[in-house]
Amino acid sequence: MKNPDFKNPVVKASIDTLRLLSADMVERANSGHPGTPMEAAPLAYLLFQRHLRHNPANPAWPGRDRFILSCGHASALLYSLLHLSGYDLSLDDLKNFRQLDSRTPGHPEFGHTPGVETTTGPLGQGFAVGVGMAMGARHLAERIDARLFDARVYTLCSDGDLMEGVASEAASLAGHLRLGNLIALYLDNRITIEGETDLAFSEEVATRFLAYGWQVLRVEGENLAEIDAAIEAAKNDPRPSLLIARTHIGFGAPTKQDTAEAHGAPLGTDELAQTKRAFGRQPDEHFVIPARVCQHMGQAVRRGLALERQWRRRFDRLNQSLHSPLTAWLQSREGGLPDGWGEELPTFEPADGPMATRKASGIVLNALAARLPLLLGGSADLAPSNNTELKGEAAFGPGHSGRNIHFGVREHAMGAILNGLAHTDGLIPFGGTFLIFSEYMRPPMRLAAMMGLAPVYVFTHDSIGLGEDGPTHQPVEQLAALRAVPNLRVIRPGDANETAVAWHEAIAHRSGPTALILSRQNLPILDRSTLASAEGLRHGGYVLAREEGDLDILLLASGSEVPLALQARNILQQQGKGTRVVSLPCWELFEAQDETYRRQVLPPSCQRRLAVEAASPFGWERYVGLQGAVIGLNGFGASAPADQLFERFGFTAAQIAARALAL
Amino acid sequence: MKNPDFKNPVVKASIDTLRLLSADMVERANSGHPGTPMEAAPLAYLLFQRHLRHNPANPAWPGRDRFILSCGHASALLYSLLHLSGYDLSLDDLKNFRQLDSRTPGHPEFGHTPGVETTTGPLGQGFAVGVGMAMGARHLAERIDARLFDARVYTLCSDGDLMEGVASEAASLAGHLRLGNLIALYLDNRITIEGETDLAFSEEVATRFLAYGWQVLRVEGENLAEIDAAIEAAKNDPRPSLLIARTHIGFGAPTKQDTAEAHGAPLGTDELAQTKRAFGRQPDEHFVIPARVCQHMGQAVRRGLALERQWRRRFDRLNQSLHSPLTAWLQSREGGLPDGWGEELPTFEPADGPMATRKASGIVLNALAARLPLLLGGSADLAPSNNTELKGEAAFGPGHSGRNIHFGVREHAMGAILNGLAHTDGLIPFGGTFLIFSEYMRPPMRLAAMMGLAPVYVFTHDSIGLGEDGPTHQPVEQLAALRAVPNLRVIRPGDANETAVAWHEAIAHRSGPTALILSRQNLPILDRSTLASAEGLRHGGYVLAREEGDLDILLLASGSEVPLALQARNILQQQGKGTRVVSLPCWELFEAQDETYRRQVLPPSCQRRLAVEAASPFGWERYVGLQGAVIGLNGFGASAPADQLFERFGFTAAQIAARALAL
């Protein structure tokens, strides 16, 4: 690896092979993005061959550096790299680019292709996830062992990535935290889909990143020695580094280079043939890998094995010591959890209340933190309101990687950073904000759900119950919008004890994210000596209070409306109506129960069904059917004390009872 | 206004009155944010008394400058200002701060309080809306008259605003466009909710804004002469200006100044009393406005009348000319539209197809643009894919305010800028991106819906039908998440002719936003000689193909699944099943129809109902009930050619027919 000879013809041949393989893949798929792979091949080659510590034979090696293709549309480049570097990805896989059930989908998908560290495509996300990964590596390095875990994170990104606000937020935090293990390589190609970048993007990116506290380096995108030296400089600086590479989209394509045409469509037969000719290749031969390229780039396998072997020696030494710092990590990795983590969580008595579920959440979270040493997180500048502070723990700051993360007023970056932390084996991340601001962070939540990552979102101030802050802060449609996301569990507990069970479920569930929806206002702590146990939450929904006599009316509720439904039941029972109250805090869990259970909770024979939730009624028809009704909010809220709003919008026991009788 | 004497005691008294009125409001409401009003009072005073061209007697005067309180939580300051400046907002209104049905809600609400230019509270939004307003003013100035419409936009913002990604995106575009009429005043108080800003925010804001191409000025927040000179310098620079004011949160509160405690809760009786004492006021007197302050600040009314009178003279002169440039504006303002705007829009014959609805949209949009001279918009760098380009029109660039806006890869800022443009009387803005990236711009869409603004969103690539780009780009839950937003119309037309009617509805509807949901892939143009007219879309849903014989089965579909439903109907009718196909492109419009119509379309007698939509089934139970079924997507999509995905996920005529028969 020392004394590189960039004039060695195999180097150029390797880079050209990356370019042409990518172009061939797009051409064969008749769909995709050839331009970025062609411009970024030199950078990618240098990274994978000379800088990235990775082991193609074991893509999950915990000591590896991370590579993120933030401009996920350049997936053909990544797949070509992985194939040539000896990952388990065949030439046939490359030929099946973008085909049904192939291992080479249009954008890189985590868990789908070996060597893909995170799913990218929506711009800016990969960049911000990289910040989270760099934080994760630093946290493990500091808490366990610096030499085992101080991975570097390399992110390849485009103009589009850096225009997105999520990248700005994440870059600002990365600079603040002095994440020296983060290196972003920016393809400054001056072309976007609509044309030259100066149609819309004339800012000085270098100056912006200097303002964030980054090191900024400039290179010419085809000058290997320059790029190599810059990456070396980036590795040796305590700040995060931005390497600005002046590149040429579609490099080598005779008429399409440096034009938007090279971006998102195949080059076309003629242009591709001419490109190959320009690179000294046969214009009519496709998917060609010269033997010497194969041999040269395949050396990554041998190097990777040696790196991991060396790492394992240290790992084994540490692991054999009596109080190994690795113990907690070994128990927590790959979705595992430390022994006894879920035992003796706090429970609450009616006399402890009334208590806001956000407050109960803070108590339970701190109890969990004592048992889960690799749980960490924070809030987007609302920790005192979200109750997300881990008491007695240090902050994650520039000099110390504590467990309390101050994300700043940056919800979107928080969501993406949580993904990066969740990618860090062993860590259990959480992040809080007001429920309304879940709207700022939906793109990374969706990616977490898609990837099966399991951060926990602590969303407080969950309805008009927040009161005076008014309609801009009062969630209405957010519950429906979150429930509609596949593989995202949304849990809205009805009291402190349901909150404790909800947290337990959130931690136990390691294959998808969970959103906890919590009240700002105090709620009674339900008397479980007369009502069903809060453990029923594990089924998503359960019969909280059974009817007396025959079942006439079904009341369904979640969160702060559960105690109201119980009061309404009293009124209705006094009028001789057998009324059942079903607490339904999590639709996803309820849908996962077998039909027998669901029919026991919601007997089909009872069609007088009324759902009560201080949110949009959207979606509740699933449970109340065409004959039932929903008391919800059909418009936005208002600014006033919470109790007056509940009255105004129909959320009182008397109004619920009256509506139920009218069914 | 010349030769200010900032030592005049009435100036200090006015500023102190703003501070104490605000603190009194919060104290009385027992809820709210006193700290920011107390720190920002000098800036606010200078703006309203010396720089802002406004007319308190006519807050809608089109020639006014705009003031945006981006840190909306400081609403008490704005209400105090409006009251003292002579707007129609009484002292009793101030005393009713944050109470039910008051005119002084917790955060400023557009349309609710005179003088409130836009609804703020979610951080970063106001800042970005200001960029849109500045663009709107420049557009009107250039197209109609520079002296009538070149308003300045002043935005007061906090650390939180500038940490949000949406502000970064908008600031970058504002610098690019050289919006010299935009002046942001940044309260650099070094405090956030979790504590000192340097917990999470240590970037050099000044350098960042210089990188964006802004002028940056620094002042001390209590130095009136310095602030005044800086605002003057900002007004006279061709770049947008950021005025960084070093301020002190809770200024004057003896123990809470410069602490997070001053941010979001009343000062408390003792602290407030001591504060008043420190300002030389009676500690036990509340809501006190010295007579000289009342007189001094009330002069804004006289000045405002004079300003508007002067403006009216020029306006009347221009208006009287034969071909007045004002004609189009006068027809378009206040929700009006020019004569004949909706006549003879394109229609399409089956032989014109197959055609993607995104393509039809581009054709209709261009026809509309020819009739609506104040329609303008663009795309977040996807114009060639969204078909949003207005042919033959110039770009909105640094030197020329054309009708084609290049937003860059900045969906979130686009959403907020569309709100700023929609606030500009007469303008009809639209913005496009892929449907999946609606997720990046939900906060401003929600504010548009709340404010009753009417931008049009052009969301293309609306399902797995986009094919190879795969699950990161394929919308699933986005339709449900948008349909759940109150007052947002979501229209997913089924062919080119429905697209034309959808655009007509979107433009005609001036009291809320509309999202058009369009296909990437080609769809047949339905033969309206045998099917019902596309005009049925105006009702949200309509019987597209009536059953032959008795009604057995109801098929409901939208968008690209409508032609599939028609094919399935053929299969079912061949088997003797009377099958009706209902096209349901817009739930919001359908819900607005009377019950008779809705029951005609969906007869309650028919419970064999199958909805077909290539999206999450979430919410469709509203129409199919507990006995019906939905063919939708319960998970994420996949990367493959679109036709293979439709087959895989059950969207073929044969599978639809089989499922319907099994009901």
Side-chain angles (χ1 to χ4, degrees):
Chain A
M1 301 266 279
K2 302 278 175 191
N3 304 319
D5 178 6
F6 294 130
K7 294 200 180 108
N8 184 336
V10 76
V11 173
K12 181 178 183 308
S14 297
I15 292 169
D16 291 350
T17 300
L18 284 170
R19 298 193 222 259
L20 294 175
L21 266 185
S22 301
D24 276 338
M25 288 168 70
V26 174
E27 203 69 22
R28 184 178 171 116
N30 194 26
S31 158
H33 303 78
T36 306
M38 293 169 81
E39 79 186 278
L43 281 157
Y45 166 85
L46 284 176
L47 265 187
F48 269 63
Q49 286 293 308
R50 295 187 38 83
H51 297 282
L52 195 73
R53 291 171 301 184
H54 62 137
N55 180 5
N58 180 15
W61 168 39
R64 73 194 183 280
D65 289 338
R66 267 64 168 181
F67 173 74
I68 298 174
L69 185 72
S70 190
C71 45
H73 55 266
S75 57
L77 173 65
L78 179 54
Y79 300 140
S80 301
L81 268 174
L82 292 172
H83 170 67
L84 290 174
S85 305
Y87 284 78
D88 177 21
L89 197 69
S90 70
L91 194 60
D92 276 342
D93 287 326
L94 301 197
K95 289 178 180 169
N96 272 320
F97 185 48
R98 293 182 156 238
Q99 302 309 302
L100 193 60
D101 299 323
S102 82
R103 303 173 76 204
T104 48
H107 291 81
E109 295 180 28
F110 173 73
H112 197 89
T113 313
V116 170
E117 298 280 6
T118 190
T119 297
T120 52
L123 290 172
Q125 298 300 328
F127 180 94
V129 165
V131 174
M133 284 187 186
M135 289 170 67
R138 180 193 275 185
H139 191 72
L140 288 185
E142 196 172 300
R143 295 186 80 87
I144 302 178
D145 185 71
R147 282 166 60 193
L148 286 180
F149 289 108
D150 200 3
R152 287 202 183 85
V153 179
Y154 296 93
T155 307
L156 191 68
C157 53
S158 61
D159 295 300
D161 286 300
L162 299 191
M163 277 193 254
E164 290 285 4
V166 63
S168 297
E169 294 177 11
S172 175
L173 188 59
H176 170 75
L177 295 175
R178 294 179 73 80
L179 297 176
N181 58 343
L182 177 64
I183 299 170
L185 304 107
Y186 160 43
L187 303 167
D188 180 19
N189 65 22
R190 312 207 182 153
I191 290 294
T192 67
I193 291 174
E194 295 184 1
E196 315 266 317
T197 49
D198 60 11
L199 278 175
F201 190 56
S202 54
E203 65 174 50
E204 292 173 14
V205 173
T207 309
R208 170 154 73 102
F209 275 76
L210 288 170
Y212 295 141
W214 288 50
Q215 176 183 220
V216 177
L217 303 154
R218 285 185 188 278
V219 298
E220 215 287 307
E222 296 291 322
N223 186 325
L224 296 179
E226 209 172 279
I227 298 168
D228 195 63
I231 297 176
E232 208 52 51
K235 286 155 74 174
N236 291 298
D237 196 278
R239 297 165 292 177
S241 293
L242 181 74
L243 200 153
I244 303 179
R246 174 67 178 104
T247 51
H248 299 273
I249 194 167
F251 184 87
T255 73
K256 294 190 173 174
Q257 178 180 320
D258 291 315
T259 75
E261 275 181 274
H263 171 74
L267 291 180
T269 315
D270 287 355
E271 181 88 3
L272 180 54
Q274 289 179 52
T275 306
K276 288 181 177 171
R277 213 172 269 127
F279 284 116
R281 300 285 181 96
Q282 290 298 322
D284 54 348
E285 292 182 2
H286 312 306
F287 292 95
V288 173
I289 303 172
R292 58 192 175 146
V293 167
C294 194
Q295 192 276 331
H296 172 72
M297 289 196 68
Q299 289 172 17
V301 175
R302 187 180 45 72
R303 289 196 305 268
L305 289 170
L307 284 168
E308 179 162 352
R309 215 164 24 237
Q310 196 178 0
W311 185 89
R312 289 257 163 232
R313 279 197 292 272
R314 181 170 179 84
F315 182 90
D316 291 342
R317 240 185 352 262
L318 265 183
N319 197 21
Q320 283 152 15
S321 67
L322 195 57
H323 297 289
S324 171
L326 284 169
T327 306
W329 180 79
L330 283 166
Q331 288 189 326
S332 297
R333 63 180 303 221
E334 288 172 11
L337 290 164
D339 296 339
W341 72 272
E343 288 165 18
E344 295 177 32
L345 288 181
T347 56
F348 304 86
E349 296 302 320
D352 299 332
M355 184 187 288
T357 51
R358 65 170 169 149
K359 185 176 173 196
S361 167
I363 294 168
V364 177
L365 171 61
N366 272 277
L368 284 165
R371 295 167 174 77
L372 296 168
L374 294 177
L375 179 138
L376 81 170
S379 164
D381 196 38
L382 288 170
S385 297
N386 302 143
N387 292 305
T388 44
E389 192 191 345
L390 304 184
K391 306 273 189 296
E393 295 287 339
F396 196 119
H400 177 73
S401 304
R403 295 170 73 185
N404 282 309
I405 303 175
H406 298 281
F407 290 100
V409 188
R410 304 182 182 105
E411 299 84 4
H412 198 166
M414 176 171 75
I417 287 169
L418 291 176
N419 288 351
L421 293 169
H423 274 304
T424 309
D425 213 1
L427 296 184
I428 304 174
F430 67 90
T433 184
F434 291 164
L435 174 57
I436 195 70
F437 301 131
S438 65
E439 298 275 305
Y440 278 70
M441 53 186 282
R442 285 179 59 90
M445 293 173 73
R446 181 176 212 255
L447 286 171
M450 192 180 289
M451 292 190 275
L453 300 178
V456 182
Y457 309 116
V458 181
F459 292 142
T460 71
H461 294 59
D462 71 346
S463 76
I464 50 170
L466 66 83
E468 291 90 341
D469 273 348
T472 56
H473 285 53
Q474 290 162 354
V476 172
E477 71 278 24
Q478 284 61 42
L479 273 171
L482 292 174
R483 286 174 179 147
V485 180
N487 199 34
L488 168 66
R489 285 192 185 165
V490 180
I491 312 184
R492 186 170 186 245
D495 77 345
N497 285 307
E498 280 195 9
T499 305
V501 182
W503 259 112
H504 187 281
E505 287 302 292
I507 297 293
H509 180 59
R510 292 288 88 205
S511 58
T514 300
L516 301 177
I517 312 294
L518 304 166
S519 76
R520 173 192 187 225
Q521 75 274 28
N522 277 335
L523 303 179
I525 296 176
L526 302 180
D527 182 357
R528 300 289 171 169
S529 68
T530 60
L531 299 165
S533 161
E535 295 289 321
L537 179 140
R538 294 184 201 283
H539 303 293
Y542 64 104
V543 180
L544 179 63
R546 202 164 285 280
E547 61 281 6
E548 292 167 27
D550 289 342
L551 175 60
D552 291 312
I553 294 169
L554 261 175
L555 296 180
L556 299 88
S558 83
S560 49
E561 288 67 68
V562 170
L564 289 177
L566 289 171
Q567 289 171 32
R569 175 179 172 279
N570 289 344
I571 299 173
L572 292 164
Q573 286 288 166
Q574 278 161 21
Q575 300 186 27
K577 300 292 180 188
T579 304
R580 174 182 293 194
V581 173
V582 170
S583 175
L584 197 49
C586 180
W587 295 14
E588 294 80 6
L589 276 169
F590 188 66
E591 301 292 325
Q593 307 305 309
D594 61 32
E595 198 182 340
T596 310
Y597 177 80
R598 283 185 280 126
R599 291 167 70 102
Q600 279 168 1
V601 175
L602 304 175
S605 57
C606 179
Q607 294 292 311
R608 290 176 79 182
R609 299 176 174 198
L610 178 63
V612 188
E613 189 171 64
S616 167
F618 196 91
W620 272 104
E621 294 90 350
R622 175 181 303 184
Y623 299 113
V624 301
L626 299 177
Q627 273 97 60
V630 189
I631 298 184
L633 284 158
N634 288 300
F636 297 103
S639 170
D643 51 348
Q644 294 175 35
L645 293 173
F646 273 85
E647 172 86 32
R648 166 70 58 90
F649 288 108
F651 298 96
T652 62
Q655 292 178 89
I656 295 167
R659 185 73 177 275
L661 286 171
L663 279 175
Chain B
M1 300 266 281
K2 301 279 174 192
N3 303 321
D5 178 5
F6 295 130
K7 294 201 181 106
N8 185 337
V10 76
V11 173
K12 181 178 182 309
S14 297
I15 292 169
D16 292 348
T17 300
L18 285 170
R19 298 192 222 258
L20 294 174
L21 267 184
S22 301
D24 276 339
M25 289 168 68
V26 174
E27 202 71 21
R28 184 179 172 114
N30 194 25
S31 158
H33 303 77
T36 306
M38 294 169 78
E39 79 184 279
L43 281 157
Y45 166 85
L46 284 176
L47 265 187
F48 269 63
Q49 285 294 307
R50 292 187 41 81
H51 297 282
L52 196 73
R53 292 172 300 185
H54 62 139
N55 181 5
N58 180 14
W61 167 40
R64 73 192 183 282
D65 289 338
R66 266 65 169 181
F67 173 74
I68 298 175
L69 185 71
S70 190
C71 45
H73 55 267
S75 57
L77 173 66
L78 179 54
Y79 300 140
S80 301
L81 268 174
L82 293 172
H83 171 67
L84 290 174
S85 304
Y87 283 78
D88 176 21
L89 197 70
S90 70
L91 193 60
D92 278 341
D93 288 326
L94 301 197
K95 290 178 179 168
N96 273 319
F97 185 47
R98 292 181 157 240
Q99 302 310 302
L100 194 60
D101 300 324
S102 83
R103 302 173 77 204
T104 47
H107 291 82
E109 294 179 29
F110 174 74
H112 197 89
T113 314
V116 170
E117 298 280 6
T118 190
T119 298
T120 51
L123 292 172
Q125 298 300 327
F127 180 93
V129 165
V131 174
M133 284 188 186
M135 289 170 66
R138 179 191 276 185
H139 191 71
L140 288 184
E142 194 170 301
R143 294 187 81 87
I144 301 178
D145 185 71
R147 282 166 60 193
L148 286 180
F149 289 107
D150 200 3
R152 287 201 183 84
V153 180
Y154 297 93
T155 307
L156 192 67
C157 53
S158 61
D159 295 299
D161 287 299
L162 299 191
M163 277 192 254
E164 290 285 4
V166 63
S168 297
E169 293 176 12
S172 175
L173 188 59
H176 170 74
L177 295 175
R178 293 180 73 80
L179 297 176
N181 57 343
L182 177 65
I183 299 170
L185 305 106
Y186 160 44
L187 302 167
D188 179 20
N189 65 21
R190 314 211 180 150
I191 291 292
T192 67
I193 291 174
E194 295 185 0
E196 315 266 317
T197 49
D198 59 13
L199 278 175
F201 189 56
S202 55
E203 66 173 51
E204 292 173 14
V205 173
T207 308
R208 171 155 73 101
F209 276 75
L210 288 171
Y212 295 142
W214 287 51
Q215 175 184 219
V216 177
L217 303 154
R218 285 186 188 277
V219 298
E220 215 287 307
E222 296 291 321
N223 187 325
L224 297 178
E226 210 173 278
I227 299 169
D228 195 63
I231 297 176
E232 208 51 52
K235 285 154 75 174
N236 292 299
D237 196 278
R239 296 165 293 177
S241 293
L242 180 73
L243 199 153
I244 302 180
R246 174 68 179 106
T247 51
H248 299 272
I249 193 167
F251 184 87
T255 73
K256 293 189 174 174
Q257 177 181 319
D258 290 316
T259 74
E261 276 181 273
H263 170 74
L267 292 179
T269 316
D270 287 355
E271 180 89 4
L272 181 53
Q274 288 180 52
T275 306
K276 287 181 179 170
R277 213 172 269 127
F279 283 117
R281 301 283 181 97
Q282 291 298 323
D284 54 348
E285 291 183 2
H286 312 304
F287 292 95
V288 173
I289 303 172
R292 58 189 174 148
V293 167
C294 195
Q295 193 276 332
H296 171 72
M297 289 196 67
Q299 290 171 16
V301 175
R302 186 182 43 74
R303 288 197 304 268
L305 289 170
L307 283 168
E308 179 162 352
R309 214 164 24 239
Q310 196 178 1
W311 184 88
R312 289 256 164 235
R313 277 199 291 273
R314 181 169 179 85
F315 181 91
D316 291 342
R317 239 188 351 264
L318 264 183
N319 198 19
Q320 282 154 16
S321 67
L322 195 55
H323 297 288
S324 170
L326 284 169
T327 305
W329 181 78
L330 283 166
Q331 288 189 324
S332 298
R333 62 181 304 222
E334 289 171 10
L337 290 164
D339 296 338
W341 71 272
E343 288 165 18
E344 295 177 33
L345 288 181
T347 56
F348 303 87
E349 296 301 321
D352 299 332
M355 184 186 289
T357 51
R358 64 170 169 151
K359 185 176 174 196
S361 167
I363 293 167
V364 178
L365 171 61
N366 272 280
L368 284 165
R371 294 165 174 77
L372 297 168
L374 294 176
L375 180 138
L376 81 169
S379 163
D381 196 39
L382 289 169
S385 295
N386 302 142
N387 293 304
T388 44
E389 192 191 345
L390 304 183
K391 306 273 189 294
E393 294 287 340
F396 196 118
H400 177 72
S401 304
R403 295 171 73 186
N404 282 308
I405 303 175
H406 298 281
F407 290 100
V409 188
R410 304 181 182 104
E411 298 84 4
H412 199 166
M414 177 171 75
I417 287 169
L418 291 175
N419 288 351
L421 292 169
H423 273 304
T424 310
D425 214 0
L427 296 185
I428 304 173
F430 66 89
T433 184
F434 291 164
L435 174 56
I436 194 70
F437 301 132
S438 65
E439 298 275 306
Y440 278 71
M441 53 186 283
R442 286 180 58 91
M445 293 173 72
R446 182 175 210 255
L447 286 170
M450 193 179 289
M451 293 190 275
L453 301 178
V456 182
Y457 310 115
V458 181
F459 292 143
T460 71
H461 295 58
D462 71 346
S463 76
I464 50 170
L466 65 85
E468 292 89 342
D469 272 349
T472 56
H473 284 54
Q474 290 162 354
V476 172
E477 70 278 24
Q478 285 59 43
L479 273 171
L482 292 173
R483 285 174 180 148
V485 180
N487 198 35
L488 168 66
R489 284 193 184 164
V490 180
I491 313 184
R492 186 169 185 245
D495 76 345
N497 285 307
E498 280 195 10
T499 305
V501 182
W503 259 112
H504 187 280
E505 287 302 293
I507 297 293
H509 180 59
R510 293 288 88 205
S511 59
T514 300
L516 301 177
I517 311 293
L518 304 166
S519 76
R520 173 193 188 222
Q521 74 274 27
N522 277 336
L523 304 179
I525 297 176
L526 301 179
D527 182 358
R528 301 289 171 169
S529 68
T530 60
L531 299 165
S533 161
E535 296 289 321
L537 179 139
R538 294 183 201 280
H539 303 291
Y542 64 104
V543 181
L544 179 65
R546 201 165 287 280
E547 62 279 7
E548 292 167 27
D550 289 343
L551 176 59
D552 291 312
I553 295 169
L554 262 174
L555 297 179
L556 299 87
S558 83
S560 48
E561 288 67 67
V562 170
L564 288 177
L566 289 170
Q567 288 171 33
R569 176 181 172 277
N570 287 345
I571 298 173
L572 292 164
Q573 286 287 167
Q574 277 162 24
Q575 300 186 29
K577 302 291 178 188
T579 304
R580 174 183 293 195
V581 172
V582 171
S583 175
L584 197 50
C586 181
W587 295 15
E588 294 80 7
L589 276 169
F590 188 66
E591 301 292 326
Q593 306 305 309
D594 61 34
E595 198 183 338
T596 311
Y597 177 80
R598 283 185 279 126
R599 291 167 69 102
Q600 279 169 1
V601 176
L602 303 175
S605 58
C606 179
Q607 294 292 310
R608 290 176 78 182
R609 299 176 174 198
L610 178 63
V612 188
E613 189 171 65
S616 167
F618 196 91
W620 272 104
E621 294 89 350
R622 174 181 303 182
Y623 299 114
V624 300
L626 299 176
Q627 273 96 61
V630 188
I631 298 183
L633 284 158
N634 287 299
F636 297 103
S639 170
D643 51 349
Q644 293 175 35
L645 293 174
F646 272 86
E647 171 86 33
R648 166 68 61 90
F649 288 108
F651 298 96
T652 60
Q655 291 178 89
I656 295 167
R659 185 71 176 277
L661 287 172
L663 279 175

